[in-house]
Amino acid sequence: MMDFLELYQKNFPQLTEEEARKLHTQFREYGVHSKWIFSSHLTADTLIAQGDILSGLYASQFDVGDNDNQPSVLGPTEGIVITNTCDNELDRDTNAVFVPLFNAEKYFSSIDDANMRRDIEANVVTSILYMPAHNDLPASIADFSVCTTVTKTWLKKKKDAGQLQKRASLTNNGYYFLLAKLTLHLMRPETTELTREKIS
Amino acid sequence: MVLGTERTNTVRQTTEFEYSDNHQIYFKDQARVAALTATLLVPVLFNSVGNADLQFVLTPKHQQIRFTNTTELNVAIGHSEEVRSSPMSIAELSRTLFPAPVELTRAQTTKHRAAISSFFKKS
C-alpha cells in the first residue's frame, strides 16, 4: 500500500533544492523579471501549456446592474492558462481555464494606491499575479478569482483561423513560480472562524 | 568545532557537522538531516579529519545516528544555508518564496474590484 508521502511525491510536481535555491535567489534579486520568468521560445504548437499566455481570448463576469442575467465581457484579451498541461492537448475534447491579464499601468492608475502597487509588483498579494513586460506584451496583472472557461474546440477553431495566438511561455522557474502563487492563493490556511466536522 | 564533512554514496554533496564533547552530532542543516532520514541513505560515511572513516546508519524513525562501533548518539538540529538535493514540494517552495503574504484590506478590495470591473463591458 502506497503511503501518503509517496502518493504526494508521485502526484504533485516537485523541484530539487538546487532549483528552489536558484529560483529564490532570482526572485529576491530581481523580483518577477522577464529575464527568468519567460522562456526564449514558445511551448510546442500542438498543446497549450499551463502558464502559456494567449491573446485573442474573451473573459466574462456577472455583476449586478441593468441586466444582471447578462455577463460583462472583456476581449479580445490576453490571458494566462491555469489548466494543467496534461489536459490541454488541442485534440482533446476538454475545457481550458484561463485568467485574463489586465494592463498593469491602467490598473495602477485606476487604484491610485502606492502601497498596494508596491505589494502587487512584489507579488506578495495572495490573489493577484503580477507579470512583467515581455517583448511586445506590457506588464500585466491577473486576478485568480476572475477565471473563464472555454472549450477546446473553440480554442482550436480560433487558432486555426489565426484569431488566437500563443504570445509567451514560462521557463521552468516561471512555471514553478506560477504553481507557488496558485498554491499560496488556493491552499492557504482557512479562517479559524470556520469549524469543520472532524471524522474520527 | 567543525570536525569534518559528510558524504553519501548517492547524493555526492557535503555538509558540515560538529561533534561535541557530550556525544552529540550537530548538523549545520536541519533539512539535510530530514532528507537523509527520509530517503534512507545508508550506510553513510563520515570522514573525520585525520582519522579513518566512521560508518554509521541512520534510524529515521527515531532521528538518531548509530555508529557501528559506538553507542547511539542523538542528533541535535542546527541551521545552515547548505543546499540539499532532495525534492521540495511546491507548498514548501511557496512558503519559501512568500514568507509574509499579504491580503488586500477591505478598502483595497473595493478599489481593486472597481478597477477590474472597468475593463469589462456589458455585452
Side-chain angles (χ1 to χ4, degrees):
Chain A
M1 183 174 147
M2 188 185 294
D3 67 20
F4 181 78
L5 179 62
E6 190 181 357
L7 179 71
Y8 184 89
Q9 290 175 342
K10 281 180 181 294
N11 285 283
F12 293 91
Q14 303 210 354
L15 67 171
T16 66
E17 188 85 6
E18 178 69 6
E19 290 172 320
R21 186 183 61 80
K22 287 179 180 174
L23 171 53
H24 190 210
T25 300
Q26 288 169 324
F27 184 50
R28 191 174 53 204
E29 291 187 5
Y30 306 112
V32 175
H33 196 286
S34 62
K35 70 189 295 180
W36 65 266
I37 201 163
F38 289 114
S39 173
S40 59
H41 59 273
L42 300 175
T43 53
D45 198 44
T46 52
L47 56 75
I48 295 170
Q50 194 171 30
D52 276 351
I53 293 177
L54 311 177
S55 62
L57 295 167
Y58 291 83
S60 64
Q61 70 171 10
F62 286 89
D63 199 356
V64 292
D66 293 338
N67 187 352
D68 43 24
N69 291 326
Q70 292 293 323
S72 298
V73 175
L74 165 67
T77 183
E78 286 77 35
I80 184 166
V81 177
I82 300 300
T83 322
N84 190 284
T85 305
C86 296
D87 298 325
N88 282 343
E89 292 171 353
L90 285 171
D91 59 354
R92 293 185 66 183
D93 191 15
T94 54
N95 295 331
V97 175
F98 70 92
V99 176
L101 295 175
F102 304 105
N103 183 289
E105 281 309 316
K106 187 177 176 186
Y107 171 83
F108 288 135
S109 67
S110 177
I111 60 171
D112 191 26
D113 185 323
N115 290 334
M116 197 169 157
R117 175 173 186 154
R118 181 201 60 214
D119 287 343
I120 289 172
E121 286 183 329
N123 256 305
V124 295
V125 177
T126 55
S127 60
I128 300 173
L129 174 71
Y130 173 77
M131 298 293 274
H134 176 62
N135 295 337
D136 58 343
L137 285 172
S140 56
I141 68 133
D143 178 338
F144 288 134
S145 72
V146 185
C147 292
T148 295
T149 301
V150 293
T151 65
K152 204 63 60 62
T153 48
W154 185 90
L155 281 179
K156 189 169 187 315
K157 180 183 176 184
K158 293 295 181 183
K159 180 175 178 292
D160 292 344
Q163 296 170 340
L164 182 95
Q165 293 89 32
K166 191 182 293 187
R167 303 287 298 279
S169 297
L170 301 179
T171 61
N172 214 34
N173 277 356
Y175 165 70
Y176 284 127
F177 184 81
L178 174 65
L179 294 188
K181 277 292 283 196
L182 287 170
T183 301
L184 179 72
H185 177 56
L186 296 173
M187 298 185 184
R188 65 191 191 279
E190 289 183 307
T191 172
T192 53
E193 294 173 7
L194 175 69
T195 305
R196 292 186 182 277
E197 180 187 9
K198 292 180 180 175
I199 306 296
S200 56
Chain B
M1 176 176 59
V2 177
L3 286 180
T5 58
E6 157 254 317
R7 290 192 186 123
T8 75
N9 56 357
T10 57
V11 176
R12 303 296 180 196
Q13 290 188 352
T14 60
T15 303
E16 288 185 339
F17 68 94
E18 295 178 4
Y19 179 66
S20 72
D21 292 335
N22 60 357
H23 289 190
Q24 284 192 319
I25 293 175
Y26 293 89
F27 281 84
K28 294 282 189 178
D29 183 0
Q30 175 181 356
R32 184 88 180 102
V33 175
L36 286 170
T37 54
T39 51
L40 295 175
L41 294 174
V42 290
V44 182
L45 297 180
F46 267 63
N47 294 328
S48 299
V49 176
N51 293 320
D53 291 346
L54 296 173
Q55 190 173 26
F56 70 97
V57 294
L58 295 168
T59 54
K61 286 183 180 176
H62 304 93
Q63 290 215 332
Q64 292 177 327
I65 289 177
R66 179 185 298 119
F67 282 87
T68 53
N69 58 349
T70 66
T71 58
E72 280 194 355
L73 301 171
N74 291 325
V75 174
I77 302 303
H79 176 72
S80 163
E81 293 295 322
E82 189 75 32
V83 173
R84 64 185 161 125
S85 62
S86 66
M88 175 185 274
S89 72
I90 298 300
E92 194 177 350
L93 173 68
S94 184
R95 284 193 295 273
T96 303
L97 292 178
F98 312 111
V102 172
E103 292 191 44
L104 298 181
T105 64
R106 285 184 181 273
Q108 287 175 333
T109 301
T110 300
K111 282 194 281 192
H112 171 73
R113 291 300 324 152
I116 293 297
S117 292
S118 71
F119 286 94
F120 287 84
K121 290 185 173 63
K122 207 70 176 177
S123 57

